Amino acid sequence: MISYLDRKLWRDLRRLKGQAIAVIMVMACGLAMMTMARSLIYSLDSTRREYYQSNRFADVFDALKRAPNSLVSRIRQLPGVAVAQSGISVQVTLDIPGLEEPATGNVRSVPDVGMPVLNQLFLRSGRWPAPGRRREVLVSEAFAQANHLHPGDSLAMLMNGKRETVRVAGIALSPEFIFEARPGAALPDNRTYGIFWMRRKEVASAFDLDGAFNYLSLTLAPGASERQVIAELDRLLRPYGGLGAFGRADHPSHVRVSDEIKILRTISIGFPVVFLSVAAFMINAVLSRLLALQRDQIAILKAFGFSDRQIVVHYLKFALVMVAGGTVLGGIGGILLGHRLVLMYHRFFRFPDLEFRPDRPAFPMALLVCAFAAFTGVFNAVRRAARLPPAEAMRPEPPANYRPALVERTGIGYLLSHTFRIAVRNIERKPMQALFTVAGLALATGILIVPNAFRDGVTQVLDYQWDTVQRQDVGVGLVEPDSIEVEHLFERLPGVISVEPERRAFVRISFGNRRRQLAIEGLPSKGLLNRVIDESNHQIQLPPHGLVVSAKLAEVLGARPGDLLTVEVLEGRRPTREVRLAGLAEDFAGMAAYMDIHALNRLLEEGDIISGASFTVDRAKWDAFMRALKNIPRVSWVAVKNSLRENFRQTTAASIGLIEKIYMAFAIIVALGVVYNNARISLTERARELATLRVIGFSRREVGTVLITELVILALIAVPLGLLLGTGFAAEIVKAVNTETVRLPLVLTRANYAFAVMVVAVASAVSALLVLRKVNHLDLVGALKAPE
C-alpha cells in the first residue's frame, strides 16, 4: 500500500517533472561517461591480462648483435630467471603488389618443430608454416588487413640483400604486438610496416645466423628482482652487442595500451566529477526552493504526527528518484557508448578477442557516487526544514527587505525600467540563490570549453607535427650505419630535391634514479627538413655540445636545462658519457632526444657516419623515386609523412575525436538542463509575486521581462566566470591525458569561447520561451491565495 507521503512525492514529481528530467539528464551524462570509461578500462585490462597469461608473454626482453646459442644455458642459470627463449629478429624490405612505396617488416623466428614457449602466437586464419615447405610465413593481422593479404598470397621480400618470394601460410597475432608500430615510432603505419614469422632455420640461413641468436625473451621467477636480472643480463650480453634489456613495463606495445588505460582512468574520474557537481547544484536548487514553498505543508505534516525522520526521508526520496533515473539512464548510455568505442579500438589494438565487458562494480559505484552528490547537496536544507517547529512553519516566511537595490541607490535608478529594477532587487535580496544560479551557469559554460580544446589540440598536432616539425616528404633508415658517402647515392635518386642526413643511436639516458631507453637523433645543427622546435614555436639550433630532449622526456627524468644526464650508448663501442641538457623541444608523439650529428658521432667515437636521411621529392617523379628505393638493399625502413599523418587521423585522432563528440553532446545537454532548471525554479517560487504584478496592471510581456531580465543578468555574471573555469578544466584534463606516447597541446581559441557563449545564449533563449509560455497560463486566483 502506497503511503500518504509517497502519494505526495509522486504529485510533487509530476508538478516538477521539467526540473526533475533536467537533473536526471545531467546525472545520466556524468554516469554514462563514468560507466563507459570504467568498463573500457576493465575490457582492455582484463583482455590484455588474459592474453598475456594464455600466450605466455615474457617479462624481460633484449636485442643484441649476435650471440651463440650456447649462451642461452648461462642465461637460464642467472638468479631470478625462470624461462629464457632465444630467437632471431631481422628487418626486411618488402615489395607489396599495389603499394607504391617500399614496405618494411620485422621477421621473427619460430621453432622448426613445435610452438614457442614464450610469446606464443594466436593463429587467426590459415595454418602454421609446414616443416617441409620453404619460404612460408605468418603475417601480422594489422599488416595483412591493410594490404589485403590472405593465406595463399605471395609477396617479395628482400632478405639480407637477396630477393625472395614468400607465401603467406596464415594470419597471426602476438602478445608482443598488440600495438604494431615500427621500432622507435610512436605512431603505426600498418600499410608499410608489418611483422612476419618464419621457421628459425630459414631465417638463420638467410642472415648468416646459424647457431646464433639476436633476440631474447625471458620470464622471471616468483619474487625475483627485475632490475637485478636486467643488470646481470646487460653485463652478460655486453660483449655480444646487447642493446639493453628492458622489462614489460617499457615494452612499446604494452606502454601504448597502458597509456590508453591511463587516459580512460582520467576520463572516468574527471568528467563525471564535473557533471555530478553540476547535478548536485541543480538538486540543491530544486529541493531548497521546494522546501521554501512547502513550509506550511511541512507544518501540517508535523501537526498530524509525522516525525522529523519521516519528513527528512520523504524529501530525500525526491532526490533518490532523480538519482535512480540518472543511474539507469547513465548505465544504459555508458554501455551503448562503450560498445561503440570498443569497435574503434579494433583498429589499432590487436587482441584475439576484444569485446566490451561491463564493469559490474561500476554500476553500484555509480549509484553511490550519484546518491552522495545528491544527498550532499540537499541534506542540510532538508534537515533544517524538518526541524522547524510546526507553529513557526505555519507562518509564511518574513517578508524580504524591499529597499531600493544598490544600482538604484547610486542615483541612476530613474534611468532604469520598472521591470529591470524589480529583477535587480530580487537578485540582491536573495544573494545565496543568485550565487547558486551563477555557479550552475558558470559550470555549464565551463564544461563546453573542454571538448573543443580537444578538437583544436588534434588539429594543431596534425599541422605542427607534420608541417612545422617534419617538413620532409620521406624518411629512410639504413640496415646498418654507413659512411657519409651514402648521402651522395641518395642525392642521385630520381626526383630528389633535397636530402638531410641523420644518425640514430640507441642509448639509455639516466638522471638520478630515473632512466629511459630510446634513440638519440643526430641531425644537422639547423636542419631544414626535420626540425627541432621549442614551446615558442621557434627552431632550436642544436649546439655543438649538449643534448636537446623533448619536454616530456625531461619531465619523466625530472631534469631541467643545465643538468648533466648520463648517456650510456648501447651499440658500437658503447661509451658512457655525462652530457649537459642544453634545451627542451616541443613534440606531441613519443619522446625524443636530439644532438648535432657531428657531436653525436664524436660521442659514439665514430667518424662521419649516417644511419638514414630525410628527403623532399618532386611529386612528378614520386613513383620513380619509390621504385628506386625498393631496389636499394641497404634501406631498412621507409616512413612516408602523408601515410603517418593519415594513420594518426584514423587511430589516435579518431579515438580522441569520438570522445570529444560524446563529451560535447553531454556538455550541451548539461547547459540546456542547467539554464532551463534555473528558469523554471525562478518561475515556481515567484508565481505569487508575478501574479500580483499582473493584477495591478503589468502586461504579460512586462511580467515575462522581469524573469528574462533576471536570467540575463545572472548569465552575464556567470559566463565570464564559466570561461575562466573552463580554461582551468581544459588545462587540467589535457595535462592529465597526456602520455609518453601521444600528447595534445592546450589550444584555446576565440571560436572555442564564442561557441560556449553561443550555446549558453541559445539555451537561455529556449528556456525563456518555455518559461514565458508558463507565465501566459499563470493561475492568478490560485497564485494569490494567501498561505495563511
Side-chain angles (χ1 to χ4, degrees), residues 140-201:
S140 60
E141 184 181 60
F143 184 81
Q145 288 182 352
N147 291 284
H148 310 291
L149 294 175
H150 303 92
D153 292 345
S154 297
L155 64 149
M157 185 179 287
L158 200 63
M159 302 178 67
N160 201 20
K162 186 178 179 181
R163 187 182 179 90
E164 299 281 358
T165 298
V166 298
R167 182 177 296 276
V168 177
I171 310 298
L173 301 171
S174 168
E176 282 195 273
F177 302 103
I178 294 173
F179 182 80
E180 188 176 312
R182 179 171 52 83
L187 301 172
D189 187 356
N190 299 133
R191 289 177 64 251
T192 62
Y193 182 81
I195 310 298
F196 300 82
W197 293 270
M198 185 182 288
R199 292 290 182 187
R200 180 163 181 165
K201 185 176 180 180

Side-chain angles (χ1 to χ4, degrees), residues 389 484 697:
I484 194 69

